Amino acid sequence: MAILWLAITFTGYAQTLPNASFETWTTSQSGLYEQPSGNYWTSLNPLRDLGGPVTVEKVTDACEGTYAAKLTTKNFTSLLVSGLLASGTFNQSNLLNPLLFGQPFTIRPTNFTGCFKFSPVSGDSCALVAWASKWNPQTNQRDTVGTATLIVDTAVADYTTYNIPFNYLTQDTPDTLTLVFSSSADGQNNNGQEGTALWVDNVAIDIANGISLPMMGEAIVKCYPNPFADKLTIEITNFKGEATFTLISAEGKFLGIQKLEGERTQLSMSILPCGNYSYIISSNGKTIYWGTLTNGQ
């Protein structure tokens, strides 16, 4: 099936995704804790297998839907463990620094949004942080492209919406987006108060033209080859219903939309210039997956 990409800029595109609202959770193999499903979020909960506390929990006290994530600062022997929820993975081979932060992202976002509430103990503060970065091969480290940060040091009794604009330091396009929620903002330095709690729900990233991209889905999606040249194959399983594929340039411009036929669809990409792209797979007004692609021809 061929696709004709159209250079059309839409003025509004806002979607919600169940896992952005932490509606689905997966129990660990040990059965001692849960993590948000979708392989996007991670926490310090795996330390429970070593006798540590569970600091991120599924709760029914939600902003919308059935569940939200509750982060609680707790003590573990002589250490303070902040409730920490982040985009990334848990590295069990390095328990001194077990969290590998960040997920691929190649668009310059405009705002970091969601809803939260906060119950501090003895003047504690929480942090909600989004960090767009790019790997620098000359220095072998990450350069900060832009950040969106909110530090709260007073109680927020009812769910409140936040909409934090990104502050950009460079003109670069990022390759990684890191989202971090911490019930104690300075918990990494063992500063905070046991019992401080932060609830988060409905997390999303806004990009150009009013698009709202939530964080990963449950459908199993494969787009290959990546980098692609003249053709791209899309496979979508663990999903029933009709779906569409929308392609977006690195500048946030919509390039076209195509209906996906069955579990496997092949698209002609020969007219696209080299560069980075993002895509959204949606169904019935709901985003079920998003990702990034590179045209390497």
Side-chain angles (χ1 to χ4, degrees):
M1 176 185 297
I3 180 171
L4 175 63
W5 295 113
L6 305 176
I8 301 173
T9 300
F10 292 85
T11 57
Y13 194 99
Q15 305 266 325
T16 57
L17 181 70
N19 204 45
S21 299
F22 307 107
E23 292 294 289
T24 56
W25 293 69
T26 301
T27 302
S28 67
Q29 291 184 347
S30 66
L32 296 177
Y33 61 90
E34 290 182 299
Q35 295 271 59
S37 303
N39 297 319
Y40 192 92
W41 302 102
T42 189
S43 73
L44 294 173
N45 282 355
L47 295 177
R48 182 69 184 95
D49 291 333
L50 301 176
V54 172
T55 55
V56 175
E57 300 171 278
K58 176 181 70 179
V59 294
T60 56
D61 183 5
C63 178
E64 292 182 6
T66 304
Y67 300 115
K70 180 183 179 182
L71 292 60
T72 308
T73 301
K74 298 182 180 181
N75 284 324
F76 178 36
T77 62
S78 60
L79 299 175
L80 185 78
V81 181
S82 177
L84 192 67
L85 182 64
S87 60
T89 58
F90 188 90
N91 182 8
Q92 298 189 22
S93 64
N94 184 4
L95 293 181
L96 293 178
N97 293 288
L99 296 184
L100 300 176
F101 292 106
Q103 296 283 5
F105 198 82
T106 57
I107 299 177
R108 289 168 64 91
T110 60
N111 293 73
F112 173 36
T113 71
C115 58
F116 81 108
K117 64 179 184 175
F118 181 53
S119 177
V121 173
S122 302
D124 205 356
S125 58
C126 68
L128 301 85
V129 179
W131 174 44
S133 63
K134 183 177 183 178
W135 180 255
N136 187 329
Q138 280 72 45
T139 61
N140 287 322
Q141 62 183 13
R142 291 208 156 272
D143 292 340
T144 298
V145 176
T147 60
T149 302
L150 177 65
I151 305 295
V152 180
D153 59 6
T154 57
V156 180
D158 299 317
Y159 272 109
T160 300
T161 299
Y162 62 88
N163 192 334
I164 314 167
F166 271 78
N167 176 35
Y168 279 97
L169 306 179
T170 75
Q171 297 299 315
D172 294 328
T173 297
D175 59 25
T176 298
L177 179 68
T178 302
L179 305 177
V180 178
F181 301 94
S182 180
S183 55
S184 291
D186 198 28
Q188 72 273 18
N189 294 317
N190 210 38
N191 295 322
Q193 298 293 329
E194 183 180 13
T196 291
L198 169 66
W199 291 255
V200 293
D201 206 355
N202 293 357
V203 181
I205 290 293
D206 291 342
I207 61 175
N209 305 317
I211 312 160
S212 181
L213 293 180
M215 304 292 104
M216 299 297 283
E218 295 305 310
I220 300 173
V221 176
K222 296 180 181 179
C223 293
Y224 59 89
N226 189 15
F228 64 85
D230 58 338
K231 294 185 183 298
L232 178 71
T233 299
I234 302 167
E235 292 184 2
I236 176 169
T237 56
N238 196 30
F239 174 78
K240 295 181 179 180
E242 296 183 351
T244 57
F245 176 91
T246 302
L247 191 69
I248 309 166
S249 72
E251 293 75 29
K253 179 181 288 187
F254 279 89
L255 301 179
I257 185 168
Q258 175 66 37
K259 181 180 178 180
L260 299 179
E261 302 286 355
E263 291 190 356
R264 180 179 299 166
T265 304
Q266 188 175 78
L267 307 179
S268 174
M269 313 289 276
S270 58
I271 68 173
L272 292 173
C274 293
N276 296 319
Y277 299 86
S278 291
Y279 65 90
I280 303 169
I281 295 177
S282 58
S283 177
N284 296 322
K286 301 290 186 179
T287 299
I288 58 175
Y289 201 87
W290 65 266
T292 59
L293 298 165
T294 299
N295 185 349
Q297 62 181 344

